[in-house]
Amino acid sequence: MRNVWLIAKRELGVYLRTPAGYLITAGLLLLDGLAFNVFGVGSSPKLSSAVLQDYLYFAFGLTSVAAILISMRLIAEERQTGTLTLLFTSPVKEHEIILAKFGSALVFVTVMNLLTIYIPLLIFVNGKVSIGHIAAGYLGLTLQAATVLAIGVFGSAISWNQLMAGVVTALIVALLVLLWMVARVTEPPLNKIISYLALFQGHFQSFQRGILRVSDLIFYASIIFFALLASTRVLQSQRWR
Amino acid sequence: MIVVDRVTKYYGSACAVRDLSFSIEEGQCIGFLGLNGAGKSTTLRLLSCLLLPTSGRVTIRGLDVEESPDEIRKFIGYLPDTPPLYGEMTVEQFLSFAGRLRGMSADDVNHRMDEVLAVCALKEVRKKAVSALSHGYKQRVGIAQAIIHRPALLILDEPLQGLDPVQIVEMREMIRGLRGKHTILLSTHMLAEIEQTCDRILMLSRGRIAAEGSEEDLANRFGHAGATLELDVRGEADAVRLALEGVGGVKVTDVTATGQMLRVRVSTEGEVREEIAKRIVDAGLGLRGFRTSSAGLENIFVRLSKETESAPSAANAPAASEEAPS
């Protein structure tokens, strides 16, 4: 854990010492605010819970994009600049590198998301939504961010540069989000399996509605675990090449 | 300390090093010399636990690199040809990170920091971001990160690459200063560097050891390739030529006036140094300096490289074109 903390601390420092972290945060806050005003509040009267659900719908997309932007550099940048050699020639295990990268990025995205908490609080103060609904929605956003980051770590591990890492991650995430379309045109029982894998329709929607289901938690945890495991295996194979 | 036993390394179907065997004693400074693609970096990466050999065995301090890589990594300091630096950190932050990554405690790093900054002449830039440093300073930070944890084995891959002449001299002094504290493996294609820094030379060509030994050993063994001597003489150029005219196997190749002095380069065959000195003094000329020129090593190096390339025998077959064993 010592090495995980060391590497994670350095990673967090990158967000604070370079403009990238501030730019992504500013972008997310601006777009979340806009989405809330334009699509959440809108011009026609709505129930408070519908406003919150609409806001969470857009926050799902924006958080996913922010997580892709943050994760694309995690390993690919180290490979491009040659600093991966420093980690590879140190007594550090591959899973420690992966956990540190993932953990630091998750902390950063979570802090970013928490900065947007004023939006649901506005609904809470001026309307009628439960704290539980807000908490479930933000737990869903955090799990979504963690899933995209884990996939992003994998994309970054298999890519030679950051751009390629971003594209690979975006493609995998887009595929997982859009699987519900594939489920529509496939026969049972295959469509059930495919729709189970769909990120938004299959799992985030319940968080969006303020419902906490163990099956959704297990789904997100499984994707995160397998993406991180695959990333570790990729690093292990690259370390000796 | 290091035993490399019949190591071969393939990248796909291309062979980078073939049947390499050598051993290195603790405390030595070894120079790996070779043309681009000779296998220097691959050999150093094998010793740094960055590559696994396709066949053969590498042991460092009795530990096998395949079986105990993490143990070995604790006592290795490695500077690749491009220094691995985090630009957004200050020099101190980066060195502290590198030290702690190699298992040092925070207190130990703090105690060691001033010493390393002094050895690498980095004190004045300790608070600067690494990205703001010049190439020469970045190279020094690269060495500093490699020595911060007091590694027994220090591996420097082309540490002088891209440095200007002043920086080269400073870096050479720094590396010399590290001798005795670490076993040093240094790769370069700068012959002067090897001559002035290393105890022993391993000449690689096409993934094989073409020759090994001290500069003197090589000169003795491959002496017929001709050593080149450099003399600093006070006097006239014609008088120098005349004085050396009768010495067997000696040919004056170049005479350059440097102020009141002459720099004379002579190619020689066999051991003729005493005779040359005697002739110069007997001719009434002032002999101010006398050294083996890097061109001596250069001659041996060029000859051995050509021999290895032109010998298509089983032992010296062009390795890179051969197929990997299935």
Side-chain angles (χ1 to χ4, degrees):
Chain A
M1 279 312 284
R2 181 182 176 276
N3 288 333
V4 175
W5 170 236
L6 262 177
I7 299 169
K9 204 166 70 169
R10 191 204 72 78
E11 283 292 328
L12 284 169
V14 174
Y15 302 121
L16 299 174
R17 291 190 202 108
T18 60
Y22 295 102
L23 281 174
I24 295 172
T25 308
L28 182 80
L29 288 174
L30 178 72
L31 294 174
D32 264 346
L34 272 176
F36 171 65
N37 271 296
V38 177
F39 303 107
V41 177
S43 50
S44 54
K46 279 186 199 171
L47 288 174
S48 302
S49 61
V51 174
L52 182 60
Q53 281 188 38
D54 284 350
Y55 162 70
L56 288 172
Y57 174 78
F58 285 101
F60 169 88
L62 291 170
T63 301
S64 300
V65 171
I68 290 171
L69 291 174
I70 285 164
S71 63
M72 59 196 257
R73 54 162 285 280
L74 289 173
I75 310 280
E77 186 186 40
E78 299 243 20
R79 184 175 295 113
Q80 271 180 299
T81 56
T83 47
L84 205 52
T85 308
L86 178 65
L87 300 179
F88 280 176
T89 52
S90 301
V92 180
K93 302 277 185 203
E94 296 81 7
H95 72 265
E96 292 177 324
I97 299 172
I98 295 294
L99 278 179
K101 297 276 179 183
F102 170 73
S104 59
L106 182 59
V107 167
F108 184 70
V109 177
T110 305
V111 170
M112 249 178 14
N113 266 335
L114 287 177
L115 291 175
T116 66
I117 200 80
Y118 75 95
I119 294 173
L121 287 180
L122 279 175
I123 307 170
F124 180 76
V125 171
N126 297 302
K128 202 174 176 184
V129 289
S130 69
I131 289 286
H133 191 170
I134 296 173
Y138 269 73
L139 177 63
L141 284 180
T142 307
L143 286 170
Q144 172 64 18
T147 303
V148 176
L149 287 173
I151 294 168
V153 171
F154 173 73
S156 195
I158 62 170
S159 304
W160 289 104
N161 60 58
Q162 296 183 55
L163 183 65
M164 191 181 154
V167 171
V168 168
T169 308
L171 283 175
I172 297 173
V173 173
L175 180 74
L176 285 173
V177 171
L178 299 175
L179 273 179
W180 63 272
M181 290 187 190
V182 183
R184 274 191 174 184
V185 294
T186 45
E187 298 293 319
L190 194 61
N191 64 344
K192 295 225 169 194
I193 298 168
I194 292 172
S195 61
Y196 175 74
L197 291 172
L199 267 181
F200 182 79
Q201 302 280 29
H203 303 280
F204 184 76
Q205 258 181 355
S206 46
F207 290 103
Q208 189 192 11
R209 292 174 185 145
I211 303 163
L212 201 61
R213 293 191 311 188
V214 176
S215 61
D216 295 326
L217 297 176
I218 291 172
F219 171 80
Y220 275 118
S222 308
I223 299 264
I224 293 165
F225 176 77
F226 282 113
L228 296 182
L229 186 68
S231 308
T232 304
R233 293 280 178 263
V234 169
L235 271 201
Q236 281 170 343
S237 74
Q238 289 173 350
R239 191 168 194 165
W240 289 105
R241 266 195 246 153
Chain B
M1 180 188 202
I2 300 172
V3 179
V4 174
D5 184 23
R6 299 178 66 85
V7 164
T8 295
K9 176 65 188 174
Y10 277 89
Y11 293 109
S13 62
C15 184
V17 294
R18 169 179 292 276
D19 210 18
L20 209 59
S21 294
F22 59 86
S23 59
I24 293 168
E25 297 297 320
E26 192 116 25
Q28 283 190 323
C29 181
I30 307 293
F32 285 79
L33 191 60
L35 300 172
N36 290 333
K40 305 187 295 288
S41 290
T42 298
T43 307
L44 294 187
R45 287 169 72 84
L46 284 163
L47 296 172
S48 310
C49 301
L50 275 171
L51 286 176
L52 277 180
T54 308
S55 65
R57 191 161 181 249
V58 179
T59 52
I60 302 175
R61 283 187 156 180
L63 299 167
D64 191 303
V65 293
E66 284 187 59
E67 289 163 11
S68 318
D70 279 340
E71 283 305 303
I72 293 172
R73 285 177 185 129
K74 283 179 189 164
F75 57 78
I76 285 183
Y78 177 57
L79 173 69
D81 48 3
T82 307
L85 308 174
Y86 291 113
E88 78 284 350
M89 294 176 122
T90 66
V91 171
E92 263 184 348
Q93 285 169 338
F94 174 67
L95 294 180
S96 171
F97 173 73
R100 300 213 58 202
L101 208 56
R102 272 74 168 260
M104 294 175 84
S105 68
D107 279 349
D108 201 8
V109 168
N110 288 339
H111 284 125
R112 174 78 169 141
M113 186 65 75
D114 280 341
E115 195 184 333
V116 170
L117 290 172
V119 167
C120 299
L122 288 167
K123 278 193 167 177
E124 63 191 71
V125 294
R126 64 195 298 168
K127 301 283 182 200
K128 275 196 175 180
V130 172
S131 59
L133 301 178
S134 67
H135 180 69
Y137 270 118
K138 282 182 182 165
Q139 205 73 3
R140 288 186 205 184
V141 177
I143 291 192
Q145 65 78 26
I147 63 169
I148 182 92
H149 55 301
R150 304 181 189 89
L153 175 61
L154 180 59
I155 300 174
L156 308 173
D157 192 358
E158 303 279 2
L160 306 166
Q161 200 165 306
L163 298 182
D164 64 35
V166 175
Q167 290 169 335
I168 286 176
V169 172
E170 289 170 352
M171 186 64 77
R172 184 189 299 149
E173 289 308 311
M174 190 198 300
I175 295 170
R176 274 188 192 163
L178 296 172
R179 288 176 59 170
K181 296 172 190 159
H182 316 267
T183 301
I184 301 176
L185 309 184
L186 171 79
S187 103
T188 181
H189 46 242
M190 296 172 80
L191 299 161
E193 216 40 63
I194 291 267
E195 278 180 335
Q196 293 176 39
T197 318
C198 302
D199 305 313
R200 191 173 141 213
I201 299 162
L202 284 170
M203 275 192 188
L204 294 176
S205 182
R206 293 211 154 203
R208 294 170 187 280
I209 293 181
E212 67 172 296
S214 66
E215 191 195 346
E216 205 171 328
D217 288 342
L218 294 176
N220 287 336
R221 264 191 284 156
F222 304 96
H224 54 285
T228 298
L229 301 177
E230 232 175 52
L231 288 71
D232 294 329
V233 181
R234 181 180 44 77
E236 297 295 321
D238 289 343
V240 174
R241 288 183 197 279
L242 193 66
L244 297 178
E245 210 166 49
V247 187
V250 171
K251 188 180 170 193
V252 177
T253 55
D254 186 38
V255 180
T256 316
T258 53
Q260 300 295 310
M261 301 292 298
L262 297 173
R263 176 152 298 171
V264 183
R265 284 167 75 97
V266 293
S267 67
T268 65
E269 281 182 24
E271 183 49 81
V272 288
R273 284 177 290 188
E274 284 176 26
E275 182 63 18
I276 289 174
K278 185 171 181 299
R279 289 290 185 109
I280 295 281
V281 174
D282 287 351
L285 301 163
L287 183 59
R288 297 275 182 92
F290 198 119
R291 61 196 161 271
T292 307
S293 159
S294 59
L297 194 55
E298 193 173 277
N299 288 342
I300 296 169
F301 176 54
V302 170
R303 206 197 90 201
L304 288 172
S305 297
K306 280 183 182 167
E307 276 180 9
T308 316
E309 292 206 8
S310 62
S313 66
N316 292 313
S321 62
E322 289 178 16
E323 290 300 310
S326 54

